[in-house]
């Protein structure tokens, strides 16, 4: 018998968050994403309302920062993007760095462009399953 090999998916999903959009970092961030080998498959500039933000972040509903997170994500335009690349989820999370920019490695998007754990410039799906859910949330 051959051992079953777990295949990682080739899709992930990202959001350029209000702080990064407002600061004019959309261009440099997309350039870094493309230089890292990701293909842009779908992209929209939108503004979230409280209801959509609450649904998108439902997993964090019980967290103390949930209200602030939703207010912040509704505070200005955002860019939502579907990305493709081999091993997309893991490679993209390496590219963006730790959730808290203070802990992010040099050269990562959050180290370069994020200002705090809340205003952390960019989102990246944390699993293939969530990438699919998040892509369908914005692009179906
Ligand atoms: P992200 O991983 O994209 O999606 C959930 C967001 O919640 C996360 O980015 C942060 O912006 C925010 N977040 C996570 N942990 C904290 C925390 N401890 N305090 C405030 N915000 C947080």
């Amino acid at each position: 018998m051959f051992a079953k090999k777990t295949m990682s998916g080739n899709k992930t999903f990202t959001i350029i968050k209000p702080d990064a959009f407002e600061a004019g970092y959309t261009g440099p961030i997309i350039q870094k994403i493309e230089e890292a080998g990701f293909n842009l498959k779908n992209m929209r500039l939108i503004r979230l309302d409280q209801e959509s933000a609450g649904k998108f972040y439902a997993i964090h509903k019980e967290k103390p920062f949930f209200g602030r997170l939703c207010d912040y994500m509704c505070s200005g335009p955002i860019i939502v993007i579907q990305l493709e690349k081999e091993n997309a989820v893991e490679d993209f999370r390496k590219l963006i760095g730790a959730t808290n920019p203070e802990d992010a490695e040099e050269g990562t998007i959050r180290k370069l462009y994020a200002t705090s754990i809340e205003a952390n410039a960019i989102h990246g799906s944390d699993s293939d399953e969530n990438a699919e859910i998040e892509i369908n949330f914005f692009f179906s």
Side-chain angles (χ1 to χ4, degrees):
M1 277 289 279
F2 293 104
K4 202 172 172 186
K5 197 176 166 194
T6 311
M7 294 286 290
S8 55
N10 66 348
K11 286 185 203 171
T12 193
F13 170 79
T14 187
I15 303 176
I16 298 176
K17 298 187 180 184
D19 58 306
F21 180 86
E22 166 74 21
Y25 295 144
T26 300
I29 289 175
I30 290 177
Q31 185 173 1
K32 272 195 92 60
I33 292 171
E34 289 189 307
E35 281 172 358
F38 291 87
N39 294 314
L40 277 57
K41 287 291 168 185
N42 247 321
M43 177 159 77
R44 287 172 62 203
L45 189 158
I46 60 164
R47 187 152 181 169
L48 280 180
D49 58 23
Q50 284 285 342
E51 192 187 343
S52 302
K55 277 188 195 153
F56 185 75
Y57 285 113
I59 195 166
H60 297 302
K61 209 166 52 191
E62 307 305 327
K63 306 266 175 65
F65 56 82
F66 177 72
R68 282 199 314 272
L69 174 61
C70 291
D71 287 348
Y72 157 64
M73 289 302 291
C74 296
S75 67
I78 58 172
I79 312 271
V80 293
I81 314 173
Q82 176 185 344
L83 297 166
E84 282 189 17
K85 180 186 182 296
E86 255 177 48
N87 201 36
V89 166
E90 190 184 342
D91 287 0
F92 195 73
R93 286 176 74 81
K94 273 189 203 141
L95 178 68
I96 68 178
T99 304
N100 187 344
E102 281 180 23
D103 303 329
E105 279 186 36
E106 290 299 329
T108 59
I109 291 175
R110 284 177 172 149
K111 187 69 174 184
L112 288 165
Y113 300 115
T115 51
S116 70
I117 192 167
E118 283 181 349
N120 67 351
I122 191 160
H123 167 80
S125 306
D126 63 4
S127 64
D128 291 340
E129 191 190 0
N130 282 337
E132 198 69 43
I133 291 169
E134 292 170 359
I135 288 164
N136 288 334
F137 189 92
F138 287 105
F139 298 113
S140 58

